[in-house]
Amino acid sequence: MSHLADVSPPTACRVCGGGVQEFLDLGRQPLSDRFRKPDELDDEFTYRLAVGRCDSCEMVQLTEEVPRDLMFHEVYPYHSSGSSVMREHFAMLARDFLATELTGPDPFIVEIGCNDGIMLRTIQEAGVRHLGFEPSSGVAAKAQEKGVRVRTDFFEKSTADDVRRTEGPANVIYAANTLCHIPYVQSVLEGVDALLAPDGVFVFEDPYLGDIVAKTSFDQIYDEHFFLFSATSVQGMAQRCGFELVDVQRLPVHGGEVRYTLARQGSRTPSAAVAQLLAAEREQELSDMATLRAFAGNVVKIRDELTALLHRLRAEGRSVVGYGATAKSATVTNFCGIGPDLVHSVYDTTPDKQNRLTPGAHIPVRPASAFSDPYPDYALLFAWNHAEEIMAKEQEFHQAGGRWILYVPEVHIR
């Protein structure tokens, strides 16, 4: 049984109050990271996953907000340290912060959504003062086990004020794949304003609207990704809160992200990269409704082609499994109507997801170590953003005749 809890469409943009025009409806969806035991399927929470663009500030956002306590809780199953690529990504960033921003006497860095401490561990090992905010107590405990200082709380104006009183100003405030999760972004930016040193920087990285549109990676849209940022929308959001967009960096991780750097207005000279990305977005007409509606049409095309392929393979008697019980896979399985009749199981390395069922679609999740017992004919790669890392690890699957199914940027077999 499904029900709709206390969720209602916002009547206005969560950044500027302008009107939000919907362009894509991905149907009713469950909580993307709520993997349930087989006996816990009653009363599963669902909501309508739809995306719109603000007519005033061009911010792309969901039209319904899921209460944050339902998404981020003590059993939140995602651990950033699970990928070797991401471990190196965050270690490199931490070393860069230590070399460029955390060089003065007693520097201080705060991370919003520190997860299991993957970035702050390098900071901690360097002996630099730090604090992570992580409302999901389970992953916060993992960070604390590594010696990382963590406050199990949401970052907002009130908690930032408290840290400023007790710890002093922060030279760097950082967030990875976190700011886009937060509908109440105004309070977060007020907190950044309260906590950040006069010459400090707020750095955050999140999935990039330009990559999502170019690759038709519609599975980047789910309950936790409330905003889909572009340089244009981030610049406008920053200006409304007294900040300036002073740098941008394209990142290959998670299927394409941008790292944005904000500073207090006039405190730093914007890099040439900012003007270049803004110009590229104008040329691509990235925020135009015609572009976004064309993207929506491509999403429907992928859905139809993927389901047709899976039905054909089932008719041919082929075995098909999923690989990577990602949060974004919930969007794919539920929008496309993919259940255990088409994909009989999903293999994943995260212990907290194993021996449970995927959200909504209820496909059994098995340990990745059982992938070869026996190998299937086809594996639908939900964790496509880690394709090279996974395929290098699973070479024996290919050697045994197995084939990968991918759906980004189009449905294809590899």
Side-chain angles (χ1 to χ4, degrees):
M1 181 176 83
S2 298
H3 78 289
L4 182 64
D6 187 18
V7 179
S8 59
T11 57
C13 171
R14 295 303 297 265
V15 174
C16 75
V20 175
Q21 188 175 171
E22 185 178 307
F23 62 85
L24 175 62
D25 182 356
L26 292 166
R28 298 207 67 78
Q29 294 279 344
L31 297 173
S32 61
D33 259 322
R34 186 57 63 92
F35 291 80
R36 293 168 173 254
K37 296 178 182 178
D39 60 352
E40 296 178 337
L41 296 184
D42 289 344
D43 208 28
E44 186 169 18
F45 175 93
T46 66
Y47 70 105
R48 191 174 77 95
L49 179 59
V51 197
R53 186 215 64 179
C54 174
D55 292 331
S56 298
C57 72
E58 301 185 4
M59 180 66 76
V60 174
Q61 58 202 274
L62 302 190
T63 61
E64 290 190 8
E65 175 188 346
V66 175
R68 65 187 187 181
D69 294 336
L70 293 181
M71 293 185 288
F72 308 110
H73 43 76
E74 67 277 4
V75 292
Y76 184 65
Y78 178 71
H79 294 178
S80 298
S81 296
S83 163
S84 61
V85 171
M86 296 312 298
R87 289 196 298 271
E88 180 57 24
H89 171 80
F90 288 116
M92 287 178 62
L93 173 65
R95 291 192 291 267
D96 183 60
F97 281 149
L98 291 168
T100 60
E101 302 290 344
L102 301 173
T103 58
D106 193 27
F108 180 40
I109 180 172
V110 171
E111 182 174 7
I112 305 170
C114 69
N115 199 261
D116 59 8
I118 186 173
M119 192 281 290
L120 286 180
R121 184 174 187 179
T122 301
I123 302 292
Q124 181 267 335
E125 290 172 348
V128 170
R129 198 159 54 95
H130 64 276
L131 179 67
F133 275 81
E134 179 49 67
S136 300
S137 58
V139 289
K142 297 290 184 182
Q144 291 165 334
E145 289 170 5
K146 300 169 185 173
V148 173
R149 290 183 62 220
V150 181
R151 176 170 175 156
T152 308
D153 212 340
F154 289 98
F155 183 94
E156 51 201 341
K157 178 64 165 59
S158 59
T159 53
D161 282 336
D162 186 48
V163 173
R164 177 64 183 255
R165 285 191 298 269
T166 58
E167 306 268 358
N171 304 95
V172 176
I173 299 177
Y174 172 68
N177 305 298
T178 299
L179 194 66
C180 72
H181 293 186
I182 304 174
Y184 56 98
V185 68
Q186 182 76 24
S187 180
V188 173
L189 291 172
E190 289 174 357
V192 170
D193 184 37
L195 182 55
L196 193 67
D199 60 346
V201 290
F202 175 37
V203 182
F204 61 96
E205 55 193 72
D206 283 295
Y208 179 48
L209 177 64
D211 285 312
I212 293 169
V213 169
K215 299 175 182 179
T216 319
S217 51
F218 69 97
D219 57 353
Q220 294 278 29
I221 304 167
Y222 54 94
D223 53 352
E224 295 176 13
H225 287 178
F226 187 84
F227 293 112
L228 303 178
F229 293 132
S230 66
T232 301
S233 62
V234 167
Q235 183 187 56
M237 178 177 69
Q239 290 172 344
R240 286 180 183 86
C241 299
F243 293 100
E244 187 174 8
L245 179 61
V246 297
D247 198 17
V248 292
Q249 181 183 355
R250 299 288 295 271
L251 303 172
V253 298
H254 290 309
E257 297 194 337
V258 169
R259 180 177 294 154
Y260 304 93
T261 301
L262 306 188
R264 299 189 186 280
Q265 289 183 354
S267 67
R268 301 200 181 199
T269 301
S271 71
V274 174
Q276 290 167 0
L277 188 53
L278 290 170
E281 290 179 359
R282 287 192 297 270
E283 183 177 348
Q284 296 162 6
E285 300 179 335
L286 178 60
S287 299
D288 286 12
M289 283 302 292
T291 301
L292 297 173
R293 288 192 175 112
F295 162 74
N298 291 334
V299 171
V300 172
K301 181 173 182 285
I302 285 178
R303 178 196 65 187
D304 294 346
E305 291 181 354
L306 179 58
T307 54
L309 172 62
L310 294 175
H311 280 282
R312 177 173 64 80
L313 293 175
R314 182 181 65 179
E316 294 174 356
R318 306 289 188 177
S319 58
V320 181
V321 305
Y323 199 106
T326 59
K328 61 182 179 288
S329 70
T331 297
V332 181
T333 56
N334 289 280
F335 178 60
C336 298
I338 298 171
D341 57 326
L342 295 175
V343 174
H344 69 71
S345 54
V346 181
Y347 293 85
D348 194 273
T349 59
T350 307
D352 289 345
K353 298 178 181 180
Q354 294 164 4
N355 302 312
R356 292 175 179 257
L357 302 178
T358 63
H362 303 156
I363 303 171
V365 181
R366 301 185 64 197
S369 58
F371 182 50
S372 61
D373 185 26
Y375 281 126
D377 297 316
Y378 293 84
L380 177 57
L381 187 55
F382 292 121
W384 55 265
N385 50 306
H386 296 293
E388 300 309 318
E389 182 180 358
I390 290 170
M391 290 181 184
K393 173 186 172 184
E394 300 290 0
Q395 290 185 29
E396 292 184 9
F397 169 61
H398 173 71
Q399 294 167 358
R403 305 179 77 182
W404 297 98
I405 301 172
L406 293 98
Y407 49 86
V408 174
E410 59 188 5
V411 178
H412 61 288
I413 295 174
R414 180 169 165 182

